[in-house]
Amino acid sequence: MTGGRLLVPLYVHPAVDPGAWRTLVGAADLLYGVVLNVADGPGTIRDPAFAVVAEELRAAGVRVLGYVDTAYGRRPAHAVVADLRRHRRWYGTDGVFFDQAAADIGLLGYYRWLARTARVCGSRTVVLNPGAHPAPGYAEIADLLVTFEGSWATYRAAVAVPAWTGRYPAERFCHLVYDVPAKLCALAARTAGLRGAAVHCAVPGSGANPWQAVSPDLIDAAHGRHPRHQEERR
């Protein structure tokens, strides 16, 4: 893995794969943040296992972002904010990951209000994930904008990025790529950088939930095999 930092959506219970969560703590210095997704949101009751890993990540200096589904702007704003507050109350999240965000200009006001409310509620980082390049105004309301989420095959064939993205630093954009052959995760990271996204995540997972495991490069980093860590020890 070269270049940028990683935003990691890890959608697996800590009891199912505790090693994956330990890997994130061990590779903390490579992370932009981790998306905490208990049950397509915070769940209906506090889960002690997620509370523990959230605390461990924060102690390691990692942003913990609560996953909140916005259903492409169709979900009532009060329900979205209720999920945001549960994440804050139960897991101490310091930011929010608004998933399934709309991309058209007509819903910009809805997301502007959500972002403003999230910050009032204590979110220091607001991430919007339309999974594609939205209307330019969305870049004004998010700290980080996910402008690609999809398979490696789709990513390789993706069209050029819109010219308006050049008005913003690469650190404001993120690409999430799944179904990446393990040996090509580093190539996916370099590709994100070349396409103007300084934040990324590339995983081999596929299917309905490709975000159940971490990148092989992060596993290497957690065990001190990542080139950046080797250079630091010299």
Side-chain angles (χ1 to χ4, degrees):
M1 182 177 58
T2 59
R5 300 177 73 193
L6 283 91
L7 172 66
V8 180
L10 184 56
Y11 302 161
V12 65
H13 196 279
V16 174
D17 192 352
W21 293 94
R22 286 195 298 270
T23 292
L24 296 183
V25 173
D29 60 328
L30 301 179
L31 301 180
Y32 176 91
V34 173
V35 181
L36 195 76
N37 186 1
V38 179
D40 292 331
T44 56
I45 59 172
R46 179 180 181 274
D47 187 320
F50 275 102
V52 168
V53 295
E55 176 58 32
E56 290 174 346
L57 288 166
R58 286 196 308 275
V62 179
R63 288 185 184 94
V64 180
L65 309 172
Y67 176 98
V68 179
D69 183 9
T70 67
Y72 301 104
R74 297 188 301 270
R75 194 168 180 220
H78 68 85
V80 173
V81 173
D83 275 1
L84 168 71
R85 287 175 170 160
R86 290 188 190 101
H87 273 301
R88 290 274 301 156
R89 185 167 67 251
W90 292 342
Y91 307 110
T93 52
D94 40 32
V96 61
F97 181 87
F98 286 127
D99 197 26
Q100 297 197 108
D104 58 284
I105 196 168
L107 285 163
L108 191 57
Y110 170 88
Y111 286 97
R112 184 180 292 113
W113 185 88
L114 288 182
R116 185 183 304 120
T117 302
R119 293 186 174 101
V120 169
C121 290
S123 295
R124 294 193 296 273
T125 302
V126 174
V127 180
L128 289 179
N129 179 23
H133 286 95
Y138 284 87
E140 296 293 332
I141 63 177
D143 298 296
L144 184 69
L145 197 58
V146 179
T147 53
F148 181 88
E149 181 178 0
S151 70
W152 173 238
T154 302
Y155 194 52
R156 287 184 300 167
V159 297
V161 300
W164 66 260
T165 61
R167 302 199 299 265
Y168 300 90
E171 290 76 16
R172 297 283 298 278
F173 299 102
C174 173
H175 293 170
L176 302 177
V177 191
Y178 55 80
D179 202 14
V180 183
K183 293 182 179 180
L184 297 183
C185 286
L187 175 59
R190 290 195 296 272
T191 303
L194 291 171
R195 293 179 179 176
V199 183
H200 75 283
C201 189
V203 298
S206 59
N209 179 14
W211 307 109
Q212 298 182 70
V214 297
S215 166
D217 291 327
L218 277 180
I219 296 173
D220 287 346
H223 291 86
R225 297 190 295 266
H226 188 275
R228 189 186 303 177
H229 289 175
Q230 292 172 355
E231 289 174 3
E232 289 171 354
R233 289 199 296 268
R234 289 178 187 150

